[in-house]
Amino acid sequence: MRSSQDEYNCNIHANEVVMKTPIVECIPNFSAARRPEVVAAIRQAIAEVPGVHVLDTHSDLDHNRSVITFAGPPEAVGEAAFRSIAKAVELINLEEHQGEHPRIGAADVVPFVPISGVSMEDCVELARQVGSRVGNELGIPVYLYEAAATRPERQNLEDIRRGQYEGLKTEIAADADRQPDFGPPRLGTAGATVIGAREPLIAYNVYLTTAEVEIARKIARAIRHSSGGLRYVKALGLLVDGRAQVSMNLTNFRATPIARVVELIRGEAARYGVGIHHSELVGLIPEEALVEAAVWYLQLDQFDAEQILERRLQAAAQSSPDFLDALAADTPTPGGGSASAYSGAAAAALVAMVARLTLGRKKYAAVEGQMSALLEQAETLRAELNAAVQADARAFQALMAAYKLPKDTPDEQQRRSERIEAATLTAAQVPLAVAEKSVQVLELARQVVAHGNLKAISDGSTAAALAQAALTGAGYNVRANLAALRDRGKAEALLVTLRDCEKRAEALQAETRRTLAERGGIS
């Protein structure tokens, strides 16, 4: 299957990268896949929460189930989880739902996983807070599971999901053991939701060279821990896409490596005269698990993880100073031109943020098309201005190199003079391009201030201020280099372009200030 009994995990914590910011991963499973618009709406509800990053979306039509992985600070992740559940409750009717995968709810299961700077206890508390909100505000029965379970018999997801939606409908009110932890003891068309905290897991499926599902079920019984198989393995035998499948959750890949699981399946399959056709991951997997499998199969007994090229490159990148450190260093580059480009890129990023906070809101439906186009333009300008940070530094370095050329003979003097003139022109053209792009960002900032989400109007005005600073700084660099240019005709033409940018910026700033006063009450 391309979804899972539970869900899957993410590789944010791979490579032992130390992150100071608290990060929680959430991997909710929703009972929908055959209506892409429903999945998209749920994903949008998650993505709209500031600070949250959607990492993966995986849908399976046979199971009629989708899994969305996202991560961020605990408070933001909790809010995104609640919004996703609310959207699922609004759009999914389990009375009409059919699929291979066991389920009891529209938002079937919502686990929180500690990634960095948070403990399992923190995730347990987060699960309880979100569960309480779902029960009280949405009127949905909530069961807590895994580390958040309020009683031992609710630690296992399969036990809570026994009988699925149809069975729980009749049992929830009649059986005291089926009473929810939060919410009413009755089921509506959105069913119930299971919320909890757990360690990372890998959702992994193996397809066999047969359509006989009973063989997959026998293999699943042989490998899963609950029926005497491998520790930390949960497994089901299913028929997916006309092929027998062993569907698994590996809940501790360090204690039970993925290669060991595959080889046991291979051996069991051989007993029935079949083999492994192919396998698949559902969602994301820690790099460590793949490295471990590669080491096992390749028999790299002396392998050291630091032999991985990408790890060395990542370590080198992390040890390099960031832009602000480089800017503060006692070197001529990067300098004011690069800083101006950096400011312009930051302005474009803020414009993109306001556009995203506007898109998908009913209140701003009339400007949906405008904001989509604006977002695309802002992201293009952000990339171009970000590239200009290095381009400006390279232009200055080329100018300094030209000044260092030999000048002992008339020919050398001529070549040196020509190189200096060409490098000076480039050193003026690069910041001029930054100035022109900054005016474009300023125009986009004016639009988001005028039509974007009112709650983000200060962010839009900050974008305008940063774009103006980028233009001003770039202008200083243009003028400094044009003063040294011998070709005064070219210098004057570039100055005309710069003055035109400054004139347009002045008008845009005046209009933005008027809008701020009228629409936001900011003067």
Side-chain angles (χ1 to χ4, degrees):
M1 59 183 177
R2 298 179 200 87
S3 60
S4 65
Q5 286 175 289
D6 190 343
E7 34 301 268
Y8 48 82
N9 110 76
C10 133
N11 62 354
I12 295 178
H13 58 295
N15 298 341
E16 299 179 358
V17 176
V18 178
M19 294 180 287
K20 302 298 182 183
T21 305
I23 299 292
V24 171
E25 178 193 17
C26 186
I27 317 97
N29 285 217
F30 302 99
S31 298
R34 298 171 188 170
R35 290 190 294 158
E37 70 279 5
V38 171
V39 180
I42 295 172
R43 188 186 190 282
Q44 180 65 28
I46 295 168
E48 286 177 350
V49 179
V52 167
H53 299 278
V54 178
L55 304 175
D56 190 70
T57 302
H58 195 106
S59 296
D60 182 276
L61 298 180
D62 289 309
H63 293 187
N64 202 5
R65 187 176 184 85
S66 294
V67 186
I68 301 176
T69 301
F70 59 95
E75 185 176 347
V77 167
E79 176 63 26
F82 177 80
R83 293 189 193 184
S84 72
I85 295 169
K87 185 59 67 173
V89 167
E90 173 190 339
L91 299 176
I92 299 173
N93 183 346
L94 284 194
E95 292 292 329
E96 302 170 353
H97 180 271
Q98 292 184 338
E100 292 293 324
H101 203 286
R103 80 285 183 269
I104 61 171
D108 189 55
V109 57
V110 182
F112 296 101
V113 178
I115 298 297
S116 171
V118 293
S119 65
M120 182 60 73
E121 290 71 24
D122 294 329
C123 285
V124 167
E125 180 57 29
L126 184 61
R128 290 173 179 168
Q129 290 173 1
V130 174
S132 177
R133 282 191 68 189
V134 170
N136 294 329
E137 297 179 32
L138 302 180
I140 300 297
V142 174
Y143 296 88
L144 298 175
Y145 86 119
E146 287 281 359
T150 55
R151 47 180 118 161
E153 61 271 23
R154 289 193 176 172
Q155 290 181 349
N156 195 330
L157 177 63
E158 289 78 5
D159 293 336
I160 297 175
R161 221 157 39 191
R162 185 188 70 246
Q164 298 197 53
Y165 167 75
E166 291 75 12
L168 186 59
K169 262 200 310 186
T170 58
E171 294 178 6
I172 190 169
D175 187 346
D177 289 337
R178 299 287 265 168
Q179 296 284 301
D181 292 295
F182 299 108
R186 60 182 179 277
L187 246 56
T189 56
T193 296
V194 185
I195 301 176
R198 60 161 178 77
E199 296 290 349
L201 64 77
I202 299 171
Y204 179 65
N205 306 321
V206 170
Y207 290 81
L208 304 176
T209 57
T210 180
E212 294 184 43
V213 69
E214 187 55 35
I215 293 177
R217 289 172 180 156
K218 289 177 180 178
I219 293 174
R221 281 195 295 272
I223 67 169
R224 66 177 170 239
H225 180 252
S226 63
S227 53
L230 296 173
R231 188 78 172 95
Y232 306 113
V233 174
K234 298 180 180 181
L236 289 174
L238 302 168
L239 184 65
V240 177
D241 292 336
R243 192 173 294 281
Q245 180 201 80
V246 182
S247 174
M248 294 165 285
N249 281 340
L250 312 181
T251 61
N252 187 336
F253 68 87
R254 296 182 181 91
T256 302
I258 193 169
R260 187 180 303 165
V261 177
V262 172
E263 288 309 306
L264 181 55
I265 292 174
R266 198 186 308 278
E268 289 293 317
R271 296 177 56 211
Y272 304 102
V274 302
I276 293 177
H277 184 274
H278 70 282
S279 64
E280 69 177 355
L281 289 168
V282 180
L284 309 180
I285 184 173
E287 180 188 66
E288 181 185 346
L290 292 178
V291 170
E292 187 176 60
V295 169
W296 193 91
Y297 279 109
L298 298 176
Q299 295 181 253
L300 294 171
D301 294 341
Q302 306 302 317
F303 177 78
D304 185 333
E306 293 308 310
Q307 291 177 267
I308 298 174
L309 171 62
E310 286 78 7
R311 290 198 179 186
R312 289 290 182 92
L313 290 173
Q314 183 181 51
Q318 290 171 347
S319 64
S320 300
D322 65 17
F323 175 70
L324 294 179
D325 288 338
L327 195 62
D330 58 349
T331 55
T333 58
S338 293
S340 299
Y342 187 82
S343 178
L350 272 176
V351 169
M353 182 195 81
V354 179
R356 286 190 171 96
L357 290 174
T358 306
L359 287 169
R361 309 282 177 131
K362 291 182 180 178
K363 183 177 179 180
Y364 302 102
V367 296
E368 188 89 6
Q370 179 186 4
M371 287 296 143
S372 293
L374 192 150
L375 174 59
E376 183 177 348
Q377 295 172 58
E379 288 292 21
T380 298
L381 286 166
R382 178 162 73 103
E384 292 174 348
L385 285 161
N386 193 44
V389 173
Q390 295 300 324
D392 188 88
R394 288 194 300 269
F396 183 79
Q397 289 163 357
L399 180 58
M400 292 300 97
Y403 274 108
K404 293 177 182 178
L405 289 173
K407 51 183 177 179
D408 297 330
T409 68
D411 285 345
E412 289 177 344
Q413 292 171 8
Q414 178 67 24
R415 283 195 295 271
R416 177 177 179 273
S417 179
E418 291 173 353
R419 287 280 297 276
I420 290 174
E421 180 75 357
T424 301
L425 180 60
T426 300
Q429 289 172 330
V430 172
L432 182 59
V434 169
E436 292 176 307
K437 295 181 192 304
S438 297
V439 176
Q440 294 176 47
V441 175
L442 193 53
E443 165 59 26
L444 299 182
R446 180 197 66 77
Q447 292 183 49
V448 295
V449 167
H451 306 292
N453 193 323
L454 188 59
K455 293 180 180 178
I457 195 169
S458 63
D459 300 297
S461 57
T462 300
L466 286 172
Q468 180 64 58
L471 168 60
T472 302
Y476 290 142
N477 283 269
V478 171
R479 287 183 168 90
N481 287 294
L482 290 182
L485 198 66
R486 292 200 312 272
D487 188 334
R488 300 317 299 164
K490 286 183 179 179
E492 187 56 37
L494 295 179
L495 278 172
V496 168
T497 301
L498 177 61
R499 292 187 189 113
D500 181 61
C501 288
E502 292 169 339
K503 185 176 179 180
R504 286 189 291 139
E506 186 177 345
L508 289 169
Q509 285 284 30
E511 189 173 345
T512 300
R513 284 193 291 270
R514 284 195 299 272
T515 303
L516 279 170
E518 295 169 1
R519 189 167 183 250
I522 301 173
S523 58

